[in-house]
Amino acid sequence: TSNGRAPKFKTFRPEVVPNHRAAEDCECAGNQTTAYGRHKYHKLKTRRPQSQQYVRLGSGDGIQQSESSNLFKPRHQKSPSSGATYVVDTYGDQKILTYGSLDRYAIPQYYRFGERSLVGLQQSQKIQNEASDERILVVSSGQRSISNVQIEDRYTKIIRSMSPELDIQPISLNGARLDILADIVPLETIAPAKSGRRDSISESQASGSVVGKARLNEQLKARELSICKHNSIKEEEAPDCLLCGHKQRDRRRVFSRRVQADPKDLGAWLGLVSCEDHALCSSSPNDTERRSNANIKVSIYEKALVHFQNPEARERLLLGLMKEASIVWNAGKLSTKWRSVVQDNPGYLQLRLRYLNFKQSAFPEFSYEDARKAYSECLEYLQKATKKTTAGEIMHTNLYDIQIYVILRLTLFMSEAGFAEHAVAIWQALLETQFFVPTRFQVDNLKSSPHNEQEMMDSFEDFWNSEVSRIGEEGSKGWAYYCLRKGEPPAPKTDMVGKLEKGPDIFATWMALERQQSSMSYQPSRSLDGVEEKDPYRVVLFPDIQPYLLSSFAPLSREVILDAFLAFCQLPPYRLEGAAGASSRWWSDGFIRNQLLHQNMDRLDGPFDLLVWNFRLDQHTLFPTSYKWFSAFVRNQSLHDRDASGIERSAWILSALKALVDIDVGNDEFAIYCLAFELSVSPNTVIRTARSLLQKHPSSVRLYNAYALLEYRLGNHRRGEEVIIRTLNMRKLFDETARSEFILLWRTWIWELLDMNKTLEALQRLLSYTDGTLYPECSTGVMGEPPYVSSTLVLRTEKALSETRDYLISRSRHKLAATAAECLVLLTYLRDSSVIATASTVYKQNLGLLAASPSESSSHEHFRQAFARLIYHHATHNSLVKPAEIRSLLAESLAAVPHNTILLSLYAWNEARFRIDDRVRSIVQDVALRASTEPDADKSVVPHFFAIHHELSRGIIFGSNFNSIRSTFERAVESEAGAHCAGLWKSYFLFEHSTNNRQRAKAVFYRGIRACPWVKELYMLAFEYLRDEAMSKSELRSVYELLSEKELRLHIDLEDLVYEREEE
């Protein structure tokens, strides 16, 4: 070169010569050179010969010519002086020592050969120019990436090689669909094809692929759909992954044409919205996709509303619009829209109820007084609407039921916000004005005039202001008794706690005092009681409750009031008739099922201990054998005993129920319900209560049966059996209607013997059903055990039970008919030596008869529960049990009643006993949860609670872990049914806290109070569980200030002490 500097080429190697010093220099040069890979590499389509290249090897004397391939062979130029091919540079570049590298501007440009390949490596491994630099050379891993074009070409070749008549067979899943949102990916073994045909794909091949959460390529789905022939595969049987894209596009086009042809076609507009609902069916959409999808649906709803003036159609469209708008609009815009919609459409009741949900749960706009005002306005409108209709109209009954529902929601809202005494006072006033009305103000004697109604309200105001004992309180006689004989108020009492004092942990002290005062403020105080002077809410005056009293009376709906009062007390409704009944809907409402706010998830022992249950009440669940069957009151008992005022609260509820029973409210079923509740909270007094009821109702067979069950549950088996025998022997003293209820006594007797494992004696007693008369010695085992069972006697018993069943069906007494059918199944089971297969045949035959009963009857579900108990008894008392047989029987029942937790829990119990599988997850996802997400179905929170219970109880061995439990909680709180369920959020928080992950628990805490801003108990979790590590003093103070900002009830003022401590 002109400057005498030779460039350094690490890629080139000098020719080896027998000069040892040159070799040593070369070795030294190889060790000292560190700048490999610092040059730029370029592709060269047309390479030109390079000029002569030189290499300087250290300071040695051996200079060798660098050789390369012929393509880069240099043009040899001889020196003018010596004619040598190479020039020896003895001076070098001393600046290399200063800068540590060659001068990049002095290095001539060169090009590598081989398209970024390296000698010695595979051809698939290439130099990555983008990732390489002067010091580091990055080489690819060698894995080939297949482009989309290659995939499509390969797919096209496969399709072309197949027959044009190729059919894709659907995956047979027995009616259930693959759940692409599952926590696990099922891997199924691909069985070899038995058939030699090449023109079809077998079922095993069709189901051999892994179905996961990843989205399928839309082009591949279109190609697969193009080869599906409609003559060989039905549209409804095709897998969702195939139909989700192609089918929905066709449906969207059809609905769009219908909308253009007839803009007033409501079904077409709703179908167009449903197309957007199914647009995300093949994946788990993220927030952006949800918002985009909701934006499209909002636009569709707004366009549709222009064409409709029909109230029903507009209400349905507005409900859909506001639901989607809550996803995409901010709080201010949504609140403004809600106010305008409700004002413009005052007669839309469902829209008003949805507006109450918004006012109660919208965190940025929430305040206690605003939400309470919204409830008051809704009740005021309902009362005006009720007065405009006559009492005999169906609309009047519906309005009355809605009023009761709104009052239930309002009182629960008040109680959970900290104003429990106000809520209790409202229920005391409602029960007094509905069930303890003086004779002159009853419906038959009250003329419909404003003057008479005002006189009645004045009388009740006088009763309330007298401060005599009200319903539920000790010594209460009722409003009617007060009008006759007046009365005196109870003795004054004091419920003040100690004062808050300074200490090292001021928040811990405040939390303890606040909880203590809250528990003591459950009932309203009198003006003479010793209460805190600064607390104006402890004494509830008549103007505080007057807006919530029902101005019109509907005696036919009094049972609805009872169920609403029980729901307020977090007790199960005693009547759950009909799938569409009001009580059934309330019992699955996420705003109402909040009993977990007052209990922890510390006891999950066996299949009978559920977080939240949902089943029909019968004698099996009201009076269950301990730890042998499901109970309606076990968790409610812990609910009332865990709080500081649990005993006082349960005593108040029991006293109110007894007062209602004493005036014959309801029927025998309600009296039996009260006995079952008293057995759970006060077993020492329940026998005395039962005897007093029998004295008042000596002809009630149901009460005799309940009395016998009480004796059995208290351990007096012989006395319980005597009650049954004595009642059966009094058969002639009862009328025909009462004698038809004797089947209850037979069922009780047989099941008690089965629980004691006396199978033969149970069969003997059941075969005595035809005689009608029993003697005491039959129950002592004196009668010998026959070596065989007479077929004639069995036929006679079957005929008698069948006649009883048919007679009860003809009298429309379907629940008693289900009891007779249960006895028929028990007879078959005991006769055939406890074989469940023959019993299941008789069960299915009788189920068909009960299924023909009216839709409002729940007899078929009672019958399914009774057979489920027989299945459990069979599985626990026999050594040879077929789990597949039990599974199929329970699965059939779950398909009919998917939200029944007895069936769900037994299904999970059976799977846990026999094999490790995910059938329970599948049936919860595909049956229970999917049933609650149907467009016209009631949104139930019960399946989510059961899914959580199952994940918590199955353990790590059976596939559960923190991630699966957390995922189940997330699905629950993100669902429409559980988004605002305070009990669900508290359970989620306690789970995260139990994992010792304080930051996760803190995040769930903030999410919970944002979803349920009215629930004071959720705010108190920060002071109880996050006080030490997760939250600082300033954060705790912010939570306290948030309580005040949202206007929730605070008994103890903490603000002054906090400021004093900060100043110190």
Side-chain angles (χ1 to χ4, degrees), residues 41 49 246 308 325 376 465 477 561 600 844 940 959 985:
Y41 312 123
H246 185 271
F308 291 93
S376 300
N465 292 335
K477 300 295 183 179
I561 297 180
N600 297 327
K844 293 177 181 178
S940 176
W985 280 106

Side-chain angles (χ1 to χ4, degrees), residues 596-667:
L596 288 181
L597 279 176
H598 307 284
Q599 63 189 27
N600 297 327
M601 301 183 299
D602 57 349
R603 204 166 55 85
L604 297 175
D605 303 330
F608 308 133
D609 193 10
L610 301 175
L611 292 175
V612 171
W613 61 261
N614 182 50
F615 47 74
R616 300 289 175 176
L617 297 183
D618 53 18
Q619 74 174 40
H620 296 307
T621 55
L622 289 174
F623 305 95
T625 306
S626 299
Y627 304 107
K628 291 185 178 181
W629 197 240
F630 300 86
S631 175
F633 297 112
V634 168
R635 278 210 162 263
N636 293 103
Q637 180 180 6
S638 64
L639 165 67
H640 296 294
D641 291 344
R642 292 182 66 90
D643 293 341
S645 62
I647 298 177
E648 180 182 356
R649 186 178 304 181
S650 60
W652 180 84
I653 297 173
L654 181 60
S655 177
L657 296 181
K658 283 185 175 182
L660 294 172
V661 172
D662 288 341
I663 61 173
D664 297 332
V665 173
N667 47 26

Side-chain angles (χ1 to χ4, degrees), residues 311 315 319 338 342 345-356 378-379 381-383 385-386 395-396 398-403 405-406:
E315 183 177 20
L319 287 172
W338 263 118
V342 173
N345 306 277
Y348 298 170
L349 299 182
Q350 295 300 323
L351 194 65
R352 281 186 171 271
L353 295 180
R354 190 71 63 83
Y355 177 61
L356 293 179
C378 182
L379 284 174
Y381 173 82
L382 290 172
Q383 290 177 0
T386 306
M395 184 63 180
H396 179 272
N398 294 336
L399 288 174
Y400 189 86
D401 292 346
I402 294 175
Q403 279 184 277
Y405 172 73
V406 173

Side-chain angles (χ1 to χ4, degrees), residues 961-991:
N961 52 54
F962 288 158
N963 292 329
S964 64
I965 298 173
R966 186 175 295 114
S967 176
T968 307
F969 269 113
E970 283 294 332
R971 280 196 298 269
V973 298
E974 290 179 359
S975 65
E976 184 178 354
H980 306 293
C981 180
L984 185 60
W985 280 106
K986 181 181 178 181
S987 302
Y988 191 9
F989 170 84
L990 293 178
F991 162 72

Side-chain angles (χ1 to χ4, degrees), residues 500-516 1020 1022-1028 1033 1036 1052 1054 1058 1061:
L500 183 62
E501 298 179 356
K502 298 180 181 179
D505 194 347
I506 188 65
F507 290 106
T509 307
W510 173 82
M511 181 200 65
L513 291 177
E514 180 69 22
R515 286 192 180 278
Q516 183 181 358
M1020 298 299 291
F1023 302 99
E1024 184 174 0
Y1025 295 99
L1026 304 178
R1027 185 179 67 254
D1028 298 331
K1033 299 293 184 181
L1036 292 174
I1052 309 297
L1054 179 62
V1058 170
R1061 189 174 183 84

Side-chain angles (χ1 to χ4, degrees), residues 6 100 144 164 279 286 336 443 538 546 602 606 747 783 808 820-821 931 1054:
R144 283 190 171 185
N286 53 36
T336 303
V443 177
R538 292 290 290 117
Q546 185 177 9
D602 57 349
R747 179 181 64 175
M783 184 172 58
L808 292 171
L1054 179 62

Side-chain angles (χ1 to χ4, degrees), residues 384-446:
K384 292 180 180 179
T386 306
K387 292 179 180 180
K388 294 180 181 179
T389 59
T390 59
E393 295 181 2
I394 299 177
M395 184 63 180
H396 179 272
T397 304
N398 294 336
L399 288 174
Y400 189 86
D401 292 346
I402 294 175
Q403 279 184 277
I404 297 299
Y405 172 73
V406 173
I407 290 176
L408 171 61
R409 286 281 307 275
L410 169 65
T411 50
L412 285 173
F413 164 71
M414 290 179 170
S415 179
E416 292 166 1
F419 301 89
E421 60 269 71
H422 197 175
V424 170
I426 291 175
W427 277 109
Q428 285 180 323
L430 281 174
L431 296 177
E432 292 282 357
T433 55
Q434 293 295 318
F435 300 107
F436 296 90
V437 184
T439 305
R440 62 193 178 100
F441 294 131
Q442 291 181 3
V443 177
D444 297 335
N445 301 325
L446 183 64

